Amino acid sequence: MRIRVKIFAAVAMILIPVLLSGCSSGISLGSSDAAIGLIIDNSADKTPVNTPHVSSEPPETKAGNAFSYSADMPKPSGYISILVNVDNQLDENFIPSNLARIRNYINPELLTLRNEDEMANREAVEALKDMLTEASFDGITGFYLEDAYRTYREQLVLWEIKQKESPGYGSDLSVPLSTAYPSASEHLTGLAFDLGACGSGVIRDFNSEQGRWLISNAHRFGFIHRYPDEKADITGIIFEPWHFRYVGEDIASYIYDNRLTLEEYYSRLEPAD
């Protein structure tokens, strides 16, 4: 992967595939990560250089295997339900082993990609396809994907740019972040998707037809809205209406029904003896 210095070249790389796939050229990038991500060449190989460690399983405590469970809540489902945040960071050499190229699974009629080489966890991609297919049956189309899997190096670039813009950024853990720590971004797992609508960019609220449909139905396909506005003090991340995370249908439905974050779900688990 190369870091492009010239903004013009990066913008062209982003907009040309969008134009070809039918999305409006009036896309406005809504997240700070998306905006500063313009200088990253996402068309290059996503595999980090000189990172020999490849694993699909995080440490046990992150996968939830070190907990016991009450009868009324679903068990953590290994890697799919991994909790990643500032307190549960991934190793910088962590690379998920089951990544799939999204375009090989989901056609342009269902989803426009900012980057045609975008990758994500295969199970999550299949669930995303099912979800968008169901949305199309309900007459909701025009979905757009801003970002999914990121390498540690890509996230590090975003972090360094943010720190350059705001010296001391991230030093106060009580202040929710707009750009996650390099090892604390869910995008490293391949389970997170920044979704939006063609012509509008990532979802900024739930007033669009795509946003309304997702917030009401995503859990049925295993996705949660990961960073709600009223829970920023718990997640450590600002309100991100575009960020949907795959955790599996059982956990997603439990979180949706109980209006929880993933952090609150794990807090309801009892540590194993």
Side-chain angles (χ1 to χ4, degrees), residues 4-31:
R4 293 194 182 271
V5 177
K6 295 183 179 180
I7 300 296
F8 178 80
V11 172
M13 184 167 293
I14 291 168
L15 292 183
I16 288 174
V18 170
L19 290 170
L20 293 176
S21 57
C23 243
S24 167
S25 61
I27 285 177
S28 174
L29 301 176
S31 70

Side-chain angles (χ1 to χ4, degrees), residues 56-58 62-63 77-84 90 94 96-100 102 118-128 131 145 147-150 185-195 221-227 242-248 262 266:
S56 61
E57 286 297 330
K62 293 189 176 74
S77 50
Y79 178 68
I80 293 301
S81 59
I82 183 176
L83 175 62
V84 178
L90 294 169
F94 175 77
S97 64
N98 54 348
L99 293 173
I102 294 174
E118 196 66 65
M119 303 181 75
N121 175 273
R122 184 174 61 252
E123 180 181 334
V125 171
E126 292 172 343
L128 180 64
M131 181 170 70
L145 179 67
D147 211 355
Y149 171 64
R150 287 185 201 137
S185 171
E186 288 196 325
H187 285 285
L188 274 65
T189 68
L191 298 167
F193 299 82
D194 290 345
L195 293 170
F221 300 89
F223 292 90
I224 60 172
H225 173 226
R226 183 67 177 89
Y227 301 120
W242 57 84
H243 187 112
F244 284 80
R245 160 68 194 277
Y246 183 71
V247 295
L262 193 56
Y266 271 97

Side-chain angles (χ1 to χ4, degrees), residues 13-266:
M13 184 167 293
I14 291 168
L15 292 183
I16 288 174
V18 170
L19 290 170
L20 293 176
S21 57
C23 243
S24 167
S25 61
I27 285 177
S28 174
L29 301 176
S31 70
S32 59
D33 276 8
I36 60 181
L38 287 172
I39 68 166
I40 295 179
D41 180 0
N42 282 317
S43 68
D45 186 358
K46 285 276 191 177
T47 304
V49 178
N50 297 325
T51 51
H53 174 70
V54 179
S55 173
S56 61
E57 286 297 330
E60 285 191 356
T61 54
K62 293 189 176 74
N65 297 325
F67 296 96
S68 58
Y69 327 100
S70 60
D72 64 339
M73 64 185 300
K75 294 172 58 175
S77 50
Y79 178 68
I80 293 301
S81 59
I82 183 176
L83 175 62
V84 178
N85 55 25
V86 68
D87 296 319
N88 297 275
Q89 299 189 35
L90 294 169
D91 185 271
E92 65 182 61
N93 293 324
F94 175 77
I95 308 170
S97 64
N98 54 348
L99 293 173
R101 198 172 300 279
I102 294 174
R103 184 54 78 217
N104 292 344
Y105 289 77
I106 305 177
N107 65 46
E109 286 71 29
L110 288 177
L111 182 67
T112 295
L113 306 180
R114 179 174 69 88
N115 169 23
E116 287 295 313
D117 292 325
E118 196 66 65
M119 303 181 75
N121 175 273
R122 184 174 61 252
E123 180 181 334
V125 171
E126 292 172 343
L128 180 64
K129 177 182 179 180
D130 291 343
M131 181 170 70
L132 298 182
T133 299
E134 181 73 15
S136 71
F137 292 158
D138 290 341
I140 309 300
T141 58
F143 286 94
Y144 164 73
L145 179 67
E146 174 70 31
D147 211 355
Y149 171 64
R150 287 185 201 137
T151 66
Y152 173 84
R153 182 180 295 180
E154 287 172 324
Q155 188 65 30
L156 178 62
V157 170
L158 297 178
W159 177 260
E160 290 177 342
I161 292 174
K162 194 69 175 179
Q163 286 200 314
K164 185 176 181 179
E165 292 176 345
S166 305
Y169 176 81
S171 59
D172 185 352
L173 295 181
S174 68
V175 177
L177 301 174
S178 58
T179 299
Y181 289 94
S183 296
S185 171
E186 288 196 325
H187 285 285
L188 274 65
T189 68
L191 298 167
F193 299 82
D194 290 345
L195 293 170
C198 287
S200 300
V202 292
I203 297 169
R204 295 179 183 81
D205 53 45
F206 296 115
N207 293 322
S208 68
E209 61 179 9
Q210 291 85 2
R212 288 194 300 271
W213 194 93
L214 285 172
I215 200 64
S216 298
N217 294 280
H219 65 283
R220 299 193 293 116
F221 300 89
F223 292 90
I224 60 172
H225 173 226
R226 183 67 177 89
Y227 301 120
D229 190 15
E230 69 279 9
K231 300 289 183 77
D233 59 325
I234 296 173
T235 64
I237 299 293
I238 64 168
F239 178 45
E240 290 192 356
W242 57 84
H243 187 112
F244 284 80
R245 160 68 194 277
Y246 183 71
V247 295
E249 292 179 19
D250 290 343
I251 294 176
S253 294
Y254 183 85
I255 286 175
Y256 177 84
D257 291 342
N258 291 277
R259 299 186 177 184
L260 303 176
T261 63
L262 193 56
E263 283 82 3
E264 291 172 310
Y265 163 77
Y266 271 97

